[in-house]
Amino acid sequence: MSELSKALMDCGALQFGEFTLASGAKSDYYIDIKKASTNPKVLYLISQLMAEKMQDQNIRPDRIAGVVLGSVPLAAALSLATGVPYVMIRKEKKDHGTGKLIEGDLNPGDKVLVVEDVITTAGSSIKAIHTLREAGAEVTDVISVIDREGGGRENLEAEGVRFNPLVIASELVKEKR
């Protein structure tokens, strides 16, 4: 069992029951990464493993992007681990304040790494990638904590993006059952 799999289980992130996922699909298990990302030891471990993944895959971004809400702690922790600034991507414009979809400094031509908590179909990741690309950013990679194996890899590849998960859900669930 990997150190991350053990940490996810120990903090209670892996739950069994009847769940509806963001994609609308039904599942008999749920991986609550918010339980992990609010635990400083687990968040630190995730940031270190993501930094290693960046190095192993030769990913050298100008910015890291996290989708509000679940991926922002991951982006912030990875930013602290690597020194790479991060931006936050809103799912929709707010009708107050600046009304921006991207919070933080982003310049046209910046290479951006998108980080995610759990990817099933990658729908929210693809929406974030489109938002970043419309702002002139270059997005070639996504790193997630979990790949739920729901077509996300294929959907990201269709967008010209490499998918780099830390843990495959079927392996995590198999270890627990």
Side-chain angles (χ1 to χ4, degrees):
M1 177 182 313
S2 75
E3 184 179 6
L4 180 56
S5 294
K6 182 173 179 0
L8 292 171
M9 287 184 210
D10 289 351
C11 77
L14 179 60
Q15 302 169 18
F16 292 92
E18 293 181 21
F19 302 95
T20 302
L21 307 177
S23 64
K26 302 290 185 195
S27 178
D28 63 350
Y29 71 94
Y30 181 70
I31 303 164
D32 185 356
I33 295 298
K34 288 165 195 69
K35 276 193 169 289
S37 64
T38 56
N39 178 313
K41 289 180 182 173
V42 181
L43 180 59
Y44 178 78
L45 175 61
I46 290 169
S47 72
Q48 297 306 298
L49 293 172
M50 285 187 168
E52 286 175 23
K53 183 74 77 170
M54 286 173 63
Q55 192 169 24
D56 293 347
Q57 298 297 318
N58 198 29
I59 302 168
R60 302 191 190 290
D62 300 305
R63 298 283 183 270
I64 295 164
V67 180
V68 172
L69 171 77
S71 300
V72 170
L74 305 175
L78 184 56
S79 176
L80 288 169
T82 62
V84 176
Y86 76 99
V87 296
M88 297 174 280
I89 312 300
R90 293 185 185 278
K91 292 184 180 179
E92 55 193 41
K93 288 184 179 181
K94 297 291 181 189
D95 58 2
H96 61 277
T98 61
K100 294 188 282 187
L101 280 174
I102 301 171
E103 297 293 345
D105 294 329
L106 181 69
N107 305 304
D110 277 352
K111 292 179 180 156
V112 180
L113 166 65
V114 174
V115 295
E116 281 281 13
D117 49 5
V118 178
I119 287 186
T120 303
T121 63
S124 64
S125 301
I126 291 168
K127 187 174 178 187
I129 290 165
H130 290 172
T131 299
L132 289 161
R133 287 178 173 167
E134 287 167 13
E138 181 184 332
V139 182
T140 57
D141 287 274
V142 170
I143 296 178
S144 73
V145 180
I146 305 288
D147 174 8
R148 279 194 64 105
E149 304 164 280
R153 176 178 300 280
E154 295 78 8
N155 293 337
L156 288 168
E157 287 173 357
E159 294 289 328
V161 176
R162 289 187 304 174
F163 180 38
N164 305 278
L166 298 179
V167 176
I168 306 297
S170 61
E171 294 170 8
L172 179 66
V173 171
K174 181 175 63 177
E175 290 172 0
K176 181 70 175 177
R177 288 187 174 166

